[in-house]
Amino acid sequence: MTRKWVYLFREGQADWKDLLGGKGAGLAGMTLAGMPVPPGFTITTEACNSYYDNNKSFPEGMWEQALEALKEVERAIERKFGAAENPLLVSVRSGAKFSMPGMMDTILNLGLNDQTVKGLIKATNNERFAYDAYRRFVQMYGNVVLNIHKDKFEHILNEYKQQIGPKAKDTDLTTQQLKEIKDQFKAIVLEEIGTPFPDEPFEQLKGAIEAVFASWNNDRAIVYRRLNKISSALGTAVTVQTMVFGNMGDDSGTGVAFTRDPSTGENVLYGEYLPNAQGEDVVAGIRTPLPIAEMEHDPNFPGVYQQFREIAHRLEAYYKDVQDMEFTIEKGRLFMLQTRTGKRTGPAAVKIAVELVREGVIDEKTALLRIPADDLVQLLLPHVDPESVENNQLLTTGLAGSPGAAVGRVVFTAEEAEERGIAGEAVILVRRETSPEDLRGMVQAQGILTAFGGKTSHAAVVARGMGKCCIVGAGALQIASDESHFLIDGTDIVVEKGEWITLDVDSNEGRVLRGKAKTTAPELSGDFATLMEWTDKYKRLGVLANADTPVDATKAREFGAQGIGLCRTEHMFFDGERILAIREMILADTLVERQKALAKLLPYQKEDFAGIFRAMAGYPVTIRTLDPPLHEFLPHDDEQIQELAQGLGVSVEKIQRRLETLEEANPMLGFRGCRLGIVYPEITEMQARAFFRAAVEVHTEGVEVLPEIMIPLVSDVNELRVQREIVDRVAKEEGVREAGIEYRVGTMIELPRAALLADKIAEIADFFSYGTNDLTQTTFGLSRDDSGKFLPRYVERKVFKDDPFHVLDREGVGQLMQIGVERGRTTRPDLKVGVCGEHGGDPSSVEFCHIIKLNYVSCSPFRVPIARLAAAQAAIGETERDK
Ligand code: PEP
Ligand code: MG
């Protein structure tokens, strides 16, 4: 027996999307539910795949089954395909499992020729309408099936319109003109392909089905699938359906509607309709459609709105999700042509999911799974109004350092950003790249734009921590040497200092716009809070934050962080007098001098740590000892060196000499991390002392404190051992345990060797925290600071699937992590393991952390909600998989 390739709508099921495609399954579902659907049938996706397997010929039996199904349709509608009297016309449409809007082909009004058009005139009593349908069909078929360029047809159409007048529309064409146009279209076909236009309706049908199959592999469809990660193996179904006409007069029309507002999520019918029109007129934007609500009182459509609203409710209740529907009204009668899951914005996704739970339609787990975690960004940060994006000139693009929107005047130095920012001005700090010295300017700027750097460059990491919009690696940006303006390479764009610009950054890309674009502020509605409470019920991973100041720690708590997973203590050194003290420490020649400088830093650090402990009452606070190479703390330009020399009473030469000694060929592989604390144990000692003193002080205030110290860039257990000895000694000296405080000492695992030797390291470490930024850098041998120059090409050309600094590389870096967890826990079964690299806030990476049984992830405060949702989704996904 031959396989069943063809299903009448009534033979299908609403959830057979794999077999019938989204459109075919929707039509089957609506038919079964007794809704008004013009009868038809669907040729399966399997037939499409067979078509390709068979060297582009229909699989055996398919055509015969299609003819059989067509007979059924004829019986149901009491019209005959190809008949001279009251002919049946059909549409032939594509429909894959996942909607690919506009990517594949559609043919309408199929079945018309010089005989059947007469039957249509008689049946409809409308000659103009019939000839319009006929010329549209020849035009569409000529283009889609016979591959004749659109312009050839448009040209003729325009000539006829010109004859009427300069502003003539399609609707102004007379019946006689339409007839002539149709004839001329046919003449073009003959001229272009050398054979006459196929008048035989069955031949037309065959050609149309083949064209839809072929459109599965047109360029647009291939690109769309690649972008949306849709498999090429799925194939498209073909739906053949009785034509209904929305262009048969004032009591006809067509429209599109959503069961809820897809941009806000509000529970109102949302959409538009266009009287006396066919679907493609809406898409082409020839006339402005009317809001759907107006249909309720439109005298041309009595009762239609009520009927449509009722159908919309039933469809949403059946699919348990927002539906996006297409309909046509033919002479006052409503017909449903399509229903599918409606796409929506992040805020709408949250509102809809929470309300559907409240209405008892879905459960909490389903609601959590429905929201793409990254889409929460749209709720958490301001963004540029999409209309503004069109109105403000796009100057250039760069990498998405930190998402959001920022509007301000261009400044080129951190000093100026700081000065003008404090004075209340909105500024955007534009730099070649940023260094820690720029921090104070960054704090005061609305946003940051750099020409160099990748997603884990200093500017990006710091900006994300502050939730501040930032674009990095805008390669075309060239700052004039006198810092009076910037240029965009390859264009004549010049932007002067002081001009307004807008940064607009989503999770993929950053855009620099000219002028002040309109932005919208984040709104953390009640539904958002509800959703976040649900995440806590299901997730297993803890979600902590990377925060360096009491202000950031407070923000992190507001977003639900369950502690601080990484406090980069060096960030505390940049404020006011502190930078002077750290510079004094670096320039010191003797231990005594160094200790003197460190003693100045201690009270500052202690105060900051105390503030963080208070903000994080009852939750762990993990600080990391000094990590970056020391040259990052010293000034590099002459003026600043001079200033420093004066401030500290040392010679310029001395600073320059020190700079030279600190210079390294590979600073990220150099004198940094625990190597600093090993060579200068007094630094670790001061930091531990400040931390423990703060802990004891805040504990005495009655606040629960959970101090944790971690040592960065460890590659060997002995490094950790010597650092731990210092920390334990200081803890004793400060009476930490005596005060009743439990503390832990752990390590970052950010070098491959540390992951491989995790069992040994776990003898000394109470916990591990994966520094996946450095671990990615060192595993790939890829610089996190400047790989932005070429890495995007890798992703574009599919050499790498994703940027490994953004989405954790499960295969390589992930394997090291898995090895590290397993080996570490052989030594210490209760070893706490987390991640604090940027991956801690990326949904796919969070899922991986769940799978390899980490205890927590830690990320920038603004990504905490995203990580919470991703952690819940990973946990729910796992239980669903086990079922
Ligand atoms: C890391 O390397 O992943 C990390 C968290 O540390 P940093 O980014 O400060 O080097
Ligand atoms: Mg690191």
Side-chain angles (χ1 to χ4, degrees), residues 624 627 672 748 750 774 784:
R624 177 181 71 185
D627 184 31
R672 59 168 289 220
M748 304 231 356
E750 45 190 347
D774 274 311
R784 56 192 272 194

Side-chain angles (χ1 to χ4, degrees), residues 125 165 310 325 328 373 387 413 421 449 534 547 619 686 692 722 805:
N125 208 5
E310 194 235 333
M325 303 156 295
T328 284
E387 272 177 29
T413 65
L449 167 62
W534 294 343
Y619 290 102
M686 180 281 286
F692 288 136
V722 298
F805 289 110

Side-chain angles (χ1 to χ4, degrees), residues 639-652 655:
E639 206 180 309
Q640 286 179 328
I641 292 177
Q642 195 109 34
E643 227 173 80
L644 177 63
Q646 267 167 12
L648 292 180
V650 297
S651 69
V652 166
I655 299 176

Side-chain angles (χ1 to χ4, degrees), residues 542-854:
V543 177
L544 283 70
N546 296 353
D548 315 321
T549 62
V551 172
D552 285 353
T554 308
K555 208 180 301 160
R557 274 300 301 140
E558 282 165 16
F559 283 123
Q562 298 160 293
I564 301 293
L566 169 63
C567 170
R568 291 177 165 101
T569 52
E570 60 270 14
H571 288 171
M572 299 173 170
F573 293 151
F574 288 99
D575 232 24
E577 310 216 317
R578 307 167 183 204
I579 188 76
L580 209 60
I582 185 105
R583 286 171 173 172
E584 189 181 329
M585 191 274 296
I586 295 168
L587 291 168
D589 290 318
T590 63
L591 174 65
V592 176
E593 279 181 26
R594 222 172 4 258
Q595 281 171 330
K596 209 174 99 204
L598 284 167
K600 292 184 189 165
L601 284 169
L602 189 139
Y604 294 126
Q605 288 233 294
K606 198 202 88 182
E607 263 330 291
D608 277 353
F609 289 144
I612 295 175
F613 276 126
R614 288 185 196 107
M616 280 291 150
Y619 290 102
V621 172
T622 318
I623 65 148
R624 177 181 71 185
T625 50
L626 193 65
D627 184 31
L630 295 179
H631 75 86
E632 286 195 5
F633 297 98
L634 292 181
H636 290 264
D637 66 60
D638 292 346
E639 206 180 309
Q640 286 179 328
I641 292 177
Q642 195 109 34
E643 227 173 80
L644 177 63
Q646 267 167 12
L648 292 180
V650 297
S651 69
V652 166
E653 292 71 38
K654 179 175 177 166
I655 299 176
Q656 268 156 352
R657 259 199 319 276
R658 186 51 54 99
L659 272 170
E660 275 163 33
T661 41
L662 289 174
E663 203 172 284
E664 290 176 300
N666 288 310
M668 289 310 262
L669 298 179
F671 188 33
R672 59 168 289 220
C674 65
R675 300 157 195 174
L676 295 168
I678 288 168
V679 175
Y680 301 126
E682 53 279 11
I683 300 179
T684 306
E685 175 168 342
M686 180 281 286
Q687 294 202 290
R689 199 173 301 285
F691 189 50
F692 288 136
R693 270 189 199 166
V696 173
E697 181 181 300
V698 175
H699 173 79
T700 328
E701 294 166 9
V703 177
E704 190 186 354
V705 293
L706 298 166
E708 307 198 345
I709 291 193
M710 65 183 173
I711 311 296
L713 217 73
V714 161
S715 61
D716 190 274
V717 64
N718 281 335
E719 292 175 312
L720 183 60
R721 181 172 289 123
V722 298
Q723 288 289 286
R724 178 163 195 151
E725 275 166 15
I726 300 169
V727 174
D728 286 337
R729 173 172 55 77
V730 175
K732 213 177 251 156
E733 288 165 9
E734 296 298 325
V736 177
R737 290 239 155 87
E738 289 69 17
I741 300 169
E742 280 307 315
Y743 71 91
R744 297 193 216 215
V745 184
T747 183
M748 304 231 356
I749 303 280
E750 45 190 347
L751 296 172
R753 191 177 192 274
L756 296 171
L757 297 176
D759 48 347
K760 291 224 174 86
I761 293 176
E763 285 169 12
I764 305 289
D766 298 330
F767 65 92
F768 287 173
S769 178
Y770 283 108
T772 46
N773 302 333
D774 274 311
L775 191 59
T776 301
Q777 167 166 267
T778 49
T779 302
F780 278 86
L782 200 58
S783 164
R784 56 192 272 194
D785 289 316
D786 27 43
S787 54
K789 283 182 197 150
F790 59 89
L791 213 47
R793 302 293 160 283
Y794 264 54
V795 180
E796 260 167 39
R797 291 178 197 164
K798 299 262 147 217
V799 181
F800 285 179
K801 191 161 158 270
D802 294 297
D803 176 345
F805 289 110
H806 181 55
V807 179
L808 190 89
D809 157 50
R810 296 186 185 200
E811 244 188 329
V813 177
Q815 190 182 151
L816 281 168
M817 290 169 72
Q818 203 160 2
I819 289 171
V821 184
E822 282 163 18
R823 294 191 184 165
R825 287 190 182 143
T826 55
T827 309
R828 202 185 276 258
D830 62 347
L831 183 74
K832 182 168 87 160
V833 188
V835 64
C836 65
E838 294 303 305
H839 302 91
D842 165 65
S844 151
S845 315
V846 170
E847 184 194 32
F848 182 74
C849 293
H850 174 92
I851 293 170
I852 64 166
K853 302 207 159 41
L854 296 199

